[in-house]
CSV table of all heavy atoms in Angstrom, one decimal:
chain,number,residue,atom,x,y,z
L,123,ASN,N,86.3,133.0,74.6
L,123,ASN,CA,85.0,132.6,74.7
L,123,ASN,C,84.5,132.4,76.2
L,123,ASN,O,83.4,131.8,76.4
L,123,ASN,CB,84.8,131.2,74.0
L,123,ASN,CG,85.1,131.3,72.6
L,123,ASN,OD1,84.5,132.0,71.8
L,123,ASN,ND2,86.2,130.6,72.1
L,124,GLY,N,85.2,133.0,77.1
L,124,GLY,CA,84.9,132.7,78.5
L,124,GLY,C,83.5,133.2,78.9
L,124,GLY,O,82.8,132.5,79.7
L,125,LEU,N,83.0,134.3,78.3
L,125,LEU,CA,81.7,134.8,78.7
L,125,LEU,C,80.6,133.8,78.3
L,125,LEU,O,79.5,133.8,78.9
L,125,LEU,CB,81.4,136.2,78.0
L,125,LEU,CG,82.3,137.3,78.5
L,125,LEU,CD1,82.1,138.6,77.7
L,125,LEU,CD2,82.1,137.6,80.0
L,126,LEU,N,80.8,133.0,77.3
L,126,LEU,CA,79.8,132.0,76.9
L,126,LEU,C,79.5,130.9,77.9
L,126,LEU,O,78.5,130.3,77.9
L,126,LEU,CB,80.2,131.4,75.6
L,126,LEU,CG,80.1,132.2,74.3
L,126,LEU,CD1,80.6,131.5,73.1
L,126,LEU,CD2,78.7,132.7,74.1
L,127,TYR,N,80.5,130.7,78.8
L,127,TYR,CA,80.4,129.7,79.8
L,127,TYR,C,79.6,130.2,81.1
L,127,TYR,O,79.4,129.4,82.0
L,127,TYR,CB,81.7,129.1,80.2
L,127,TYR,CG,82.3,128.3,79.1
L,127,TYR,CD1,83.3,128.9,78.2
L,127,TYR,CD2,81.9,127.0,78.8
L,127,TYR,CE1,83.8,128.1,77.2
L,127,TYR,CE2,82.5,126.3,77.8
L,127,TYR,CZ,83.4,126.8,76.9
L,127,TYR,OH,83.9,126.1,75.9
L,128,LEU,N,79.3,131.5,81.1
L,128,LEU,CA,78.5,132.0,82.3
L,128,LEU,C,77.0,131.5,82.1
L,128,LEU,O,76.6,131.3,81.0
L,128,LEU,CB,78.6,133.5,82.3
L,128,LEU,CG,79.9,134.1,82.6
L,128,LEU,CD1,79.8,135.6,82.6
L,128,LEU,CD2,80.5,133.7,83.9
L,129,ASP,N,76.4,131.4,83.2
L,129,ASP,CA,74.9,131.1,83.1
L,129,ASP,C,74.3,132.4,82.5
L,129,ASP,O,74.8,133.5,82.6
L,129,ASP,CB,74.3,131.0,84.5
L,129,ASP,CG,74.7,129.6,85.1
L,129,ASP,OD1,75.1,128.7,84.4
L,129,ASP,OD2,74.7,129.5,86.4
L,130,ALA,N,73.2,132.1,81.7
L,130,ALA,CA,72.6,133.2,81.0
L,130,ALA,C,72.2,134.4,82.0
L,130,ALA,O,72.3,135.6,81.6
L,130,ALA,CB,71.3,132.7,80.3
L,131,ASP,N,71.7,134.0,83.2
L,131,ASP,CA,71.3,135.0,84.1
L,131,ASP,C,72.4,135.9,84.6
L,131,ASP,O,72.4,137.1,84.7
L,131,ASP,CB,70.5,134.4,85.3
L,131,ASP,CG,69.2,133.8,84.9
L,131,ASP,OD1,68.7,134.2,83.9
L,131,ASP,OD2,68.7,132.9,85.7
L,132,LYS,N,73.6,135.2,84.9
L,132,LYS,CA,74.7,135.9,85.4
L,132,LYS,C,75.3,136.8,84.3
L,132,LYS,O,75.8,137.9,84.5
L,132,LYS,CB,75.8,134.9,85.8
L,132,LYS,CG,75.5,134.3,87.2
L,132,LYS,CD,76.7,133.5,87.7
L,132,LYS,CE,76.4,133.0,89.1
L,132,LYS,NZ,77.5,132.2,89.7
L,133,LEU,N,75.3,136.3,83.0
L,133,LEU,CA,75.8,137.1,81.9
L,133,LEU,C,74.9,138.4,81.8
L,133,LEU,O,75.4,139.5,81.5
L,133,LEU,CB,75.8,136.3,80.6
L,133,LEU,CG,76.3,137.0,79.4
L,133,LEU,CD1,77.8,137.4,79.6
L,133,LEU,CD2,76.2,136.1,78.2
L,134,GLN,N,73.6,138.2,81.9
L,134,GLN,CA,72.7,139.4,81.8
L,134,GLN,C,73.0,140.4,82.9
L,134,GLN,O,73.0,141.6,82.7
L,134,GLN,CB,71.2,138.9,81.9
L,134,GLN,CG,70.2,140.0,81.5
L,134,GLN,CD,70.3,140.4,80.1
L,134,GLN,OE1,70.4,139.6,79.1
L,134,GLN,NE2,70.4,141.8,79.9
L,137,SER,N,76.0,142.2,82.1
L,137,SER,CA,75.8,143.2,81.1
L,137,SER,C,75.2,144.5,81.6
L,137,SER,O,75.6,145.6,81.2
L,137,SER,CB,74.8,142.6,80.0
L,137,SER,OG,74.4,143.6,79.1
L,550,ASP,N,80.3,119.4,78.0
L,550,ASP,CA,80.0,120.6,78.8
L,550,ASP,C,80.8,121.8,78.3
L,550,ASP,O,80.6,122.9,78.7
L,550,ASP,CB,80.3,120.4,80.2
L,550,ASP,CG,79.3,119.4,80.9
L,550,ASP,OD1,78.1,119.7,80.8
L,550,ASP,OD2,79.8,118.3,81.3
L,552,VAL,N,80.7,122.7,75.2
L,552,VAL,CA,79.8,123.3,74.2
L,552,VAL,C,78.7,124.0,75.0
L,552,VAL,O,77.8,123.4,75.5
L,552,VAL,CB,79.3,122.3,73.2
L,552,VAL,CG1,78.3,123.0,72.2
L,552,VAL,CG2,80.4,121.6,72.5
L,553,PRO,N,78.8,125.3,75.2
L,553,PRO,CA,77.8,126.0,76.1
L,553,PRO,C,76.4,125.9,75.6
L,553,PRO,O,76.1,125.8,74.4
L,553,PRO,CB,78.3,127.5,76.1
L,553,PRO,CG,79.7,127.4,75.6
L,553,PRO,CD,79.8,126.3,74.6
L,554,GLU,N,75.5,126.1,76.5
L,554,GLU,CA,74.1,126.1,76.1
L,554,GLU,C,73.7,127.5,75.8
L,554,GLU,O,74.3,128.5,76.2
L,554,GLU,CB,73.2,125.6,77.3
L,554,GLU,CG,73.5,124.1,77.6
L,554,GLU,CD,72.6,123.6,78.8
L,554,GLU,OE1,72.0,124.5,79.5
L,554,GLU,OE2,72.6,122.4,79.0
L,555,ASP,N,72.6,127.7,75.1
L,555,ASP,CA,72.0,129.0,74.8
L,555,ASP,C,73.0,130.0,74.2
L,555,ASP,O,73.1,131.2,74.5
L,555,ASP,CB,71.4,129.6,76.1
L,555,ASP,CG,70.4,128.8,76.8
L,555,ASP,OD1,69.6,128.1,76.1
L,555,ASP,OD2,70.4,128.7,78.0
L,556,GLN,N,73.8,129.5,73.3
L,556,GLN,CA,74.9,130.3,72.7
L,556,GLN,C,74.3,131.5,71.9
L,556,GLN,O,74.9,132.6,72.0
L,556,GLN,CB,75.8,129.4,71.8
L,556,GLN,CG,76.6,128.4,72.6
L,556,GLN,CD,77.7,127.8,71.7
L,556,GLN,OE1,78.6,128.5,71.3
L,556,GLN,NE2,77.6,126.5,71.5
L,557,GLU,N,73.3,131.3,71.2
L,557,GLU,CA,72.7,132.4,70.4
L,557,GLU,C,72.3,133.5,71.2
L,557,GLU,O,72.6,134.7,71.0
L,557,GLU,CB,71.5,131.8,69.5
L,557,GLU,CG,71.0,132.9,68.5
L,557,GLU,CD,69.9,132.3,67.7
L,557,GLU,OE1,69.7,131.1,67.7
L,557,GLU,OE2,69.3,133.1,66.9
L,558,GLU,N,71.6,133.2,72.3
L,558,GLU,CA,71.1,134.2,73.3
L,558,GLU,C,72.3,134.9,73.9
L,558,GLU,O,72.4,136.2,74.0
L,558,GLU,CB,70.3,133.6,74.3
L,558,GLU,CG,69.8,134.6,75.4
L,558,GLU,CD,69.1,133.9,76.6
L,558,GLU,OE1,68.7,132.6,76.4
L,558,GLU,OE2,68.9,134.5,77.6
L,559,LYS,N,73.3,134.2,74.3
L,559,LYS,CA,74.5,134.8,75.0
L,559,LYS,C,75.3,135.6,74.0
L,559,LYS,O,75.8,136.7,74.4
L,559,LYS,CB,75.4,133.6,75.6
L,559,LYS,CG,74.7,132.9,76.7
L,559,LYS,CD,75.6,131.7,77.2
L,559,LYS,CE,75.0,131.0,78.3
L,559,LYS,NZ,75.8,129.8,78.8
L,560,LEU,N,75.5,135.2,72.8
L,560,LEU,CA,76.2,136.0,71.8
L,560,LEU,C,75.5,137.3,71.6
L,560,LEU,O,76.1,138.3,71.4
L,560,LEU,CB,76.3,135.2,70.5
L,560,LEU,CG,77.4,134.0,70.5
L,560,LEU,CD1,77.2,133.2,69.3
L,560,LEU,CD2,78.8,134.6,70.7
L,561,GLY,N,74.1,137.3,71.6
L,561,GLY,CA,73.4,138.5,71.5
L,561,GLY,C,73.7,139.5,72.6
L,561,GLY,O,73.8,140.7,72.4
L,562,VAL,N,73.7,138.9,73.8
L,562,VAL,CA,74.0,139.8,75.0
L,562,VAL,C,75.4,140.4,74.9
L,562,VAL,O,75.7,141.5,75.2
L,562,VAL,CB,73.9,138.9,76.3
L,562,VAL,CG1,74.3,139.8,77.5
L,562,VAL,CG2,72.4,138.5,76.5
L,563,ILE,N,76.4,139.5,74.4
L,563,ILE,CA,77.8,140.0,74.3
L,563,ILE,C,77.8,141.1,73.3
L,563,ILE,O,78.5,142.1,73.5
L,563,ILE,CB,78.7,138.8,73.9
L,563,ILE,CG1,78.8,137.8,75.1
L,563,ILE,CG2,80.1,139.3,73.5
L,563,ILE,CD1,79.5,136.6,74.8
L,564,ASP,N,77.1,141.0,72.2
L,564,ASP,CA,77.1,142.1,71.2
L,564,ASP,C,76.5,143.3,71.7
L,564,ASP,O,77.0,144.5,71.5
L,564,ASP,CB,76.2,141.6,69.9
L,564,ASP,CG,76.9,140.6,69.1
L,564,ASP,OD1,78.2,140.4,69.2
L,564,ASP,OD2,76.3,139.8,68.4
L,565,ASP,N,75.5,143.2,72.6
L,565,ASP,CA,74.9,144.4,73.2
L,565,ASP,C,75.9,145.1,74.1
L,565,ASP,O,75.9,146.3,74.2
L,565,ASP,CB,73.6,144.0,74.0
L,565,ASP,CG,72.5,143.6,73.1
L,565,ASP,OD1,72.5,143.9,71.9
L,565,ASP,OD2,71.5,142.9,73.6
L,566,MET,N,76.7,144.3,74.8
L,566,MET,CA,77.7,144.8,75.7
L,566,MET,C,78.7,145.6,74.9
L,566,MET,O,79.1,146.7,75.3
L,566,MET,CB,78.4,143.7,76.5
L,566,MET,CG,77.5,143.0,77.5
L,566,MET,SD,78.1,141.4,78.1
L,566,MET,CE,79.6,141.9,78.9
L,660,GLY,N,87.0,139.1,75.2
L,660,GLY,CA,85.8,138.3,75.4
L,660,GLY,C,84.6,138.7,74.5
L,660,GLY,O,83.7,137.9,74.2
L,663,ALA,N,83.9,136.6,71.1
L,663,ALA,CA,83.4,135.2,71.2
L,663,ALA,C,82.6,134.8,70.0
L,663,ALA,O,82.0,135.6,69.4
L,663,ALA,CB,82.5,135.1,72.5
Side-chain angles (χ1 to χ4, degrees):
N123 299 300
L125 293 175
L126 289 176
Y127 290 99
L128 296 178
D129 290 339
D131 292 341
K132 284 190 175 181
L133 183 62
Q134 189 64 50
S137 174
D550 293 298
V552 179
E554 297 178 349
D555 305 321
Q556 292 191 64
E557 185 176 351
E558 176 188 347
K559 293 177 181 178
L560 287 170
V562 173
I563 293 172
D564 288 341
D565 291 341
M566 291 165 63

